[in-house]
Amino acid sequence: MNNKSNEIWKNEDKYDNWELRKHRFVDEMRPVLFQYMGITPDSYVLDCGCGTGVLARYIARGLGSGRVLGFDISRYLVDYGNARIADENLSDVCKLVVADGFELPFDDNTFDAVTNYTYMGVLSDPVAGLKEMIRVCKKGGTVSSITPVRGVEWKGEYPLDFAERLHELYDRQEEIYRKYFFIPKKCISKAMNGIP
Ligand SMILES: C[S@@+](CC[C@H](N)C(=O)[O-])C[C@H]1O[C@@H](n2cnc3c(N)ncnc32)[C@H](O)[C@@H]1O
């Protein structure tokens, strides 16, 4: 197995940049995302490559008796994220731990839903990472992945009926980034492909 990407990520400590991503997850999207991710209010959820846990906290705010656990290989991002979880009074519902996605320290068939936001695309061996995600998901549970469409290099037509609307929304998001975060237009594509 090729786990070369671990060397890049285990010392990642730019938690301020990753934290900006919380603006991408709005409350109105939660019902649709929960449906896609197979999450119900009582689910036990795993957020893979959680960074500072922006997705894990977003999920936590929509759970009832359920729980969400996030893991990341960078202890800096995990420590920062757990501090934010405490600030936001989510510690009973949400926790982040340091773990390697190529060798997860969880039993088979543990989680109802296993998801991630822009994690699989950074792995040097995404198939090995996906196999671990499937192993720890309960039989009949849901393994899902979320990635921004425009940041992904796609040869040919987008295979989505709603691609035009998606691009319109993406342009509006860029406007908002420019207005509030003062990122020059020429830097935005680069920023959206990497950090944040
Ligand atoms: C593009 S970032 C996304 C972070 C977070 N999901 C977010 O959207 O803010 C990818 C994350 O995957 C983590 N990562 C990379 N390889 C990993 C591995 N083998 N095991 C666990 N986490 C890993 C990185 O440390 C990084 O936080």
Side-chain angles (χ1 to χ4, degrees), residues 45-51 53 56 68-72 78 82 85 94-99 106 111:
V45 184
L46 183 65
D47 176 14
C48 308
C50 61
V68 52
L69 182 68
F71 75 82
D72 200 281
V78 165
N82 277 324
I85 286 168
C94 183
K95 189 171 100 174
L96 312 183
V97 295
V98 178
F106 311 124
F111 300 93

Side-chain angles (χ1 to χ4, degrees), residues 14 32 36 56 79 86 90 96 100 110 116 140 147 157 166 183:
K14 295 177 207 69
V32 173
Y36 169 70
D79 287 349
L90 289 170
L96 312 183
D100 178 357
T110 298
N116 73 91
T147 187
E157 295 296 308
L166 207 56
I183 303 173

Side-chain angles (χ1 to χ4, degrees), residues 86-150:
D87 289 346
E88 294 171 25
N89 294 318
L90 289 170
S91 304
D92 290 345
V93 193
C94 183
K95 189 171 100 174
L96 312 183
V97 295
V98 178
D100 178 357
F102 292 127
E103 221 175 347
L104 287 176
F106 311 124
D107 291 338
D108 298 358
N109 302 309
T110 298
F111 300 93
D112 300 299
V114 177
T115 193
N116 73 91
Y117 182 59
T118 65
Y119 155 73
M120 291 192 58
V122 308
L123 296 177
S124 43
D125 190 339
V127 173
L130 180 60
K131 281 184 180 167
E132 276 296 83
M133 291 165 66
I134 293 169
R135 179 184 69 73
V136 300
C137 188
K138 284 181 190 164
K139 301 224 177 330
T142 303
V143 175
S144 64
S145 188
I146 309 175
T147 187
V149 172
R150 240 210 201 164

